[in-house]
Amino acid sequence: MNRIKPVIVLCLLCSINIVFAQPKTISQKVEALLKKMTLAEKIGQLNQYNGNWEATGPVTTDVGDKLDAIKHGEVGSVLNIVGVKHTRVFQEAAMQSRLKIPLLFGQDVIHGYSITFPIPLAEAASWDLSAIERSARIAATEAAAGGIHWTFAPMVDIARDPRWGRVMEGAGEDPYLGSLIATARVHGFQGKGLGNLDAVMACAKHFTAYGAAIGGRDYNSVDMSLRTLWEIYLPPFKAAVDAGVGTFMNSFNDLNGIPASGNHYLQTDILKGKWGFKGFIVSDWGSIGEMINHGYVKDNYQAAEVAINAGNDMDMESRSYINNLAKLVADKKVPIQRIDDAVRRILTKKYELGLFNDPYRFSDADREKHVMNTPESVAAARDVARKSIVLLKNEHNLLPLSKDLNSIALIGPLVKAKGEMKGFWSLNVGDESQIVSLYEGMQQAAGKSKLLYAKGCDITDTSKAGFDEAYKTAMQADVVIMAMGERPDMTGEAKSRSNIHLPGVQEELIKAISATGKPLVVLLMSGRPMVFNWTADHVPAILYTWWLGNQAGNAIADVLYGNYNPAAKLPITFPRTEGQIPIYYDHYNTGRPAHGDKDVNYTSAYIDLQNSPKYAFGYGLSYTTFGYSNLKFSKKSMAKDGEITVTFDLQNTGKYAGEEVAQLYLRQLVSQPVRPVKELKGFQKVMLQPGETKTISFTINKEKLAFYNDQLQRITQPGEFSLMIGSASDDIRLQDNFFLSH
Ligand code: NOJ
């Protein structure tokens, strides 16, 4: 009897423990919650509505209906509701639902929230991973203080077609640079991890190959070999997974005939399968329903079936899920396990963000007031803005400007532009007084009394009525600075152009002002590479300034006056004309390569245009010059798992302190399948004082030599490699070969 008692007590304790055991880990909590959820509540979690703030597609309901739907547990996430006040209203509605599952608030925080940073393509030109990470960090800190949990960024689409309007939103054409920048941005947005009050969940988009839209026309089909997909378009997405990105967004395009939202191979086989991605996938805006237009499905019922079974977890604004999933489960077209898996992934993120502990933890009005536009953020915005400016030309060292100039003529349609400096995808910057125009930046740097101004012409208008005044203004000045370019809404979503020349009569105005014979600097503002051949060939100094955000004017003045020595390098090739597109540096050699720009005798060339671009990938000047010498290899042959260390000396051979982005390119000379003529495999941004020399080293290992074969296996092949080190993809300064043995 005495021996039985403790056993009974122990059993009792065990059963009490079983009955009252509290789930401890996030996974246990998710499973416990899932058990309580009805099918309708599960489907609600997969449904995302726009909050009627900024719509980039057709909106399906109005706010009143949405709050009602939220109270009924029919919505898991809302986009474009921002600010502590607004998000609180929506979260309070969610807290009235049966299970009180908090909402996720998402928005396109692409290059800043309150303070705007340079557009992503501009930041990519900095090749400065820590500056890029810092800009995302600040954007996240501000967005999180504004009630946002989730940004639909970074866009990591490789873009090789400057006609495509969204080229502004990514990191350019190169998978290596693009992967490093994807990592930096994910780290920046997610900070020390989800759950921290200054972190927002990132979203790698658009999965996938969206940037390869045929003809550069947004939303168009993509047709490419799977090998190109794996080699060029997937690496930045894989890098985002490795960096711990919380979510993915699929894309509007079809890839080889299969719309991305319904693509099982991409979403389930690659992303969730091979790459082991544990986060969730949201569709793009309405993209599930758009599979009807694609001609892939006949109605929303089939669209929902195909999308969920392909691995798409959340439906952004198409209503296909909310209206059809229950029936699809009843009809046994969608297994409940797939619904559970999608819900599980979404709930896990809500737990990781800490929303179940406190759904209002990102709704602190006091924090919201104090976090925005701090002096540190303003300084960081100016820093990354000037790091993004590319010096394309500087004949006779016209720049930097002398501080002794008496009068400076500022001419062009973008001199006094303020709001325009934000570029596309800046949804929340309301107060334009925070933005520094070129004119204001120059006022600060030079003093108002030295400045003369004439607009000259508009951006797209063809009137030349202002030319005369501009000419006269230029004639009175010691130097002329022209601010020319596109309108900011000429790049961005649905902003593709077939003609990427400097618009309107701007190049004619440049010609007219150039005729004054005054020293002339042209600033080009745009979200894409433009075509501006006359300017490139005749104007002595050109800076490509993109859209630089709030601190644009100060950053440009810093560069013009040499308070900052430009070091940016193009992350994308600039064509001579649209007829060369697509044009990129890492092409194959072909069987009949042209030797030089004049070799058109049955070679792979145009008879009416050179093959070379106007400005190559990796190109960008400095006010100083750099010398490369003394290339050394630790050995000339490596085994598959071995390494070679390569060193060289980089010297500042000019007058100014400055940074150089030294670039490493590799080419396997003989390989099956063939390899590109060169591929970026490393770079270092190095600061050097005048006369200073530093020894730089790169390590060559298996990873740098590997590629996908025609079976889509990542392999290395033994053989001879050419190693090239240079200042741009078309400015190789050091070169030698080495071998990979078996
Ligand atoms: C459509 C865009 O393609 C996507 O990038 C964006 O995140 C959504 N709209 C939401 O605004």
Side-chain angles (χ1 to χ4, degrees), residues 30-31 34-35 37-39 42 46 308 313 334-347:
V30 168
E31 293 312 318
L34 254 181
K35 287 205 182 89
M37 293 172 79
T38 62
L39 177 60
K42 290 177 182 175
L46 313 185
I308 190 98
D313 301 303
V334 173
I336 186 68
Q337 292 81 354
R338 175 73 265 274
I339 305 273
D340 284 350
D341 171 60
V343 177
R344 197 176 276 127
R345 287 168 181 270
I346 293 164
L347 293 179

Side-chain angles (χ1 to χ4, degrees), residues 440-496:
E440 290 161 331
M442 286 301 289
Q443 261 182 344
Q444 283 288 325
K448 195 173 178 181
S449 59
K450 288 190 182 172
L451 301 185
L452 305 167
Y453 166 69
K455 188 172 177 194
C457 66
D458 280 330
I459 293 172
T460 46
D461 197 4
T462 48
S463 165
K464 296 183 186 172
F467 276 33
D468 259 6
E469 189 206 348
Y471 185 89
K472 285 180 194 141
T473 309
M475 286 305 287
Q476 296 167 45
D478 295 334
V479 66
V480 184
I481 295 166
M482 299 186 75
M484 319 300 276
E486 294 186 313
R487 283 193 324 266
D489 67 355
M490 291 170 88
T491 45
E493 186 181 343
K495 303 291 180 286
S496 295

Side-chain angles (χ1 to χ4, degrees), residues 56 79-80 108 152 166 169 205-206 210 219 249 252 284-285 316 425 493:
T56 58
L79 72 149
N80 291 329
D108 294 279
F152 305 124
R166 297 195 82 167
E169 203 181 332
K205 71 186 188 185
H206 305 83
Y210 181 43
Y219 314 130
M249 184 186 291
F252 288 122
D284 204 342
W285 185 298
M316 181 190 286
W425 284 126
E493 186 181 343

Side-chain angles (χ1 to χ4, degrees), residues 610-626:
Q610 299 98 307
N611 274 8
S612 62
K614 195 71 192 169
Y615 298 108
F617 173 83
Y619 172 78
L621 301 173
S622 161
Y623 294 151
T624 192
T625 48
F626 298 97

Side-chain angles (χ1 to χ4, degrees), residues 543-593:
L543 289 165
Y544 215 79
T545 70
W546 320 96
W547 302 117
L548 292 172
N550 277 33
Q551 285 294 307
N554 286 334
I556 296 171
D558 284 344
V559 169
L560 288 172
Y561 275 106
N563 297 327
Y564 175 78
N565 184 356
K569 303 276 188 179
L570 297 176
I572 185 165
T573 305
F574 277 42
R576 293 177 186 275
T577 178
E578 295 85 356
Q580 287 183 315
I581 299 170
I583 181 169
Y584 42 87
Y585 81 95
D586 57 345
H587 56 83
Y588 296 143
N589 202 38
T590 80
R592 293 188 176 192

